[in-house]
Amino acid sequence: MKKFIVLAVIVLLCVASWAGATYFVGANVQSRYTGLIDQYGHFGPFTLTTQSYDKGFLESRAQTVVEIRVPQSPSEDGQENAEDAVSFVFEHTFRHGPLPLGASGQQTGGPALALVETRLVSFSADEEDFEKLLAEIPALAEPFAFSKIALDGSVRSRVTIPAFENQSEGNLVRWGGFTLESQAGPDMKTLMGTFDMPKMELIMADGRLTWNGISGRFDLAETLPMLYVGTSQASFGVMDMSFIDKQSGQLKTMQMKGFEVASDSSVDGTLVRYEQTLEFGGVTVEGETFGPGVLEIEMNNLDGEALSSFQGQVQDLYRDSDSFNPEELVGRMLPLYLQLFQNLAAGNPELTIRKLHFATPQGDVDGRVRVKLDGNAGAAAGNPAALLQSLDAEADLSVAESLARSLAKDTIRQNLMGARERGDFPPYSDEEIANLVEQQVDGQIDGLLAQNFLVSDGANLKASATFSNGELVLNGTLLPLFQGQ
């Protein structure tokens, strides 16, 4: 009998402990939810507010309203219209434990403090339109986001928007869905994850678009407030477009090949290093292919504290802004950018374009650039003289002569054609204008070569320049920056 009483007491204590822990976790889940809404509830055109929070013992529910304000174009009388607001209501279901086994079937297994499910329950259109949308795409009514708050406070999330097909007003949309898997460490100090949108297809009466989607990954860590460094990569799939030209009535085609973006950043003390590589597969328009292209960028000696402070100032600006007027925001952002430039200049920042290459049917473009600011020389955005004295730069550029001539011809031809239409130029025939174009292009290129602004190297035109101590040297010749020097 005594053993039974002892076991009963132990069980009761365990139940009481679990109940107390459950109540404690539930209160902390609510506190964390409201804290995130307070922190990120207002950012530019996005506003997040809590519509309701019903706290229960094992399960709580909350509804979050996400409002997006879109500025409208001016009316016909020139008066600026009010902003148009689009709102969505999301419902969150919090199952707070502790949950020793977590949940299965949603990739959120394992011990957890709480599990969260999120789904869309309404949007700003009327109820009838919302019900119609759910009837056409039933998957939107199901929970699409699942999160697990682990025992150490980290959060693992999975967002899944299923694939769907929708036909409306003669247009057919096929979407391959979207998946985002992420993991945030305690206090959001680390962020890592992957995302994938397999495919999208749009079929219309006068055209078709097929895109093989986008995928990528990221692995970032916060080194200073709101300053994350690490690696990220994104791959943009092939995009095919075909459409009926309204003027000629002929079918036009275009294909954009793959596009890769890879970034890598790190911090040494308080100085940030950043590298980015962009690889463009090319674009084919009516049988002509432009590309491939490569751009490699490196930045060094970026003041991390200045970047962190700038991020905080931008967030405060958006949070305190009552209007999302682009012109007003630009006016308020400009002083912040000027101050950021001033702060970054003090750390001797350096920008290097290590590689620039782009192929065209008329020839290739290649180049490299290095720019460095000497903070000890007093670089200031508002003081051009001091800025020039603090600037140290060098650049090399090579352009196929056939490409340079083609670009110059297009520009001159358009100018002459426009002048003829306006009556500012004699009514020459197209053939006569073509001859004038050839003469002007020859004269311009010969003049640039004669003045040593360009150097001929086989089939290419090249230029090499350095700038240091306020002096510009182009192709080995010192050039005065101001008249009279």
Side-chain angles (χ1 to χ4, degrees), residues 51 73 77 124 137 145 161 187 189 219 238 240 257 259 269-270 288 292 338 362 391 408 425:
Q51 181 166 283
S73 58
D77 58 3
S124 55
I137 311 175
I161 302 178
D187 300 323
K189 295 297 182 182
D219 188 352
V238 175
D240 289 293
K257 300 180 181 179
F259 189 76
T270 60
E288 281 196 318
L338 292 176
Q362 291 79 31
L391 184 65
F425 194 72

Side-chain angles (χ1 to χ4, degrees), residues 42-44 69 310-325 328-337:
H42 191 182
F43 192 86
R69 291 172 293 156
F310 175 76
Q311 295 277 59
Q313 290 173 331
V314 171
Q315 186 181 54
D316 291 341
L317 185 150
Y318 278 114
R319 184 185 292 117
D320 298 337
S321 177
D322 295 327
S323 172
F324 186 62
N325 183 302
E328 178 184 337
L329 288 177
V330 168
R332 298 180 62 185
M333 286 287 293
L334 184 58
L336 299 183
Y337 278 111

Side-chain angles (χ1 to χ4, degrees), residues 66 68 84-89 120 122-127 129-130:
V66 179
I68 306 174
D84 187 19
V86 180
S87 61
F88 302 84
V89 179
L120 176 68
S122 68
F123 64 95
S124 55
D126 58 38
E127 189 67 24
D129 287 343
F130 182 62

Side-chain angles (χ1 to χ4, degrees), residues 14 28 56 63 100 138 168 184 206 274 285 287 291 295 306 317 354 369 408 414 459 465:
C14 290
N28 276 271
Q63 288 193 342
S168 176
D206 59 350
Y274 179 81
V285 181
L295 178 63
L317 185 150
R354 297 188 306 217
V369 177
Q414 290 178 8

Side-chain angles (χ1 to χ4, degrees), residues 223-225 227 229 266-274 299-311 339-350:
T223 57
L224 290 169
L227 179 63
V229 298
S266 61
V267 171
D268 183 5
T270 60
L271 296 180
V272 177
R273 179 195 62 84
Y274 179 81
M299 289 183 282
N300 288 291
N301 299 333
L302 301 178
D303 190 313
E305 293 181 347
L307 293 172
S308 173
S309 176
F310 175 76
Q311 295 277 59
Q339 185 61 50
L340 173 64
F341 175 84
Q342 192 71 36
N343 293 337
L344 291 178
N348 303 325
E350 183 174 349

Side-chain angles (χ1 to χ4, degrees), residues 275-296:
E275 292 183 1
Q276 186 173 78
T277 300
L278 298 92
E279 297 182 354
F280 179 50
V283 58
T284 300
V285 181
E286 295 300 300
E288 281 196 318
T289 298
F290 298 83
V294 178
L295 178 63
E296 296 180 0

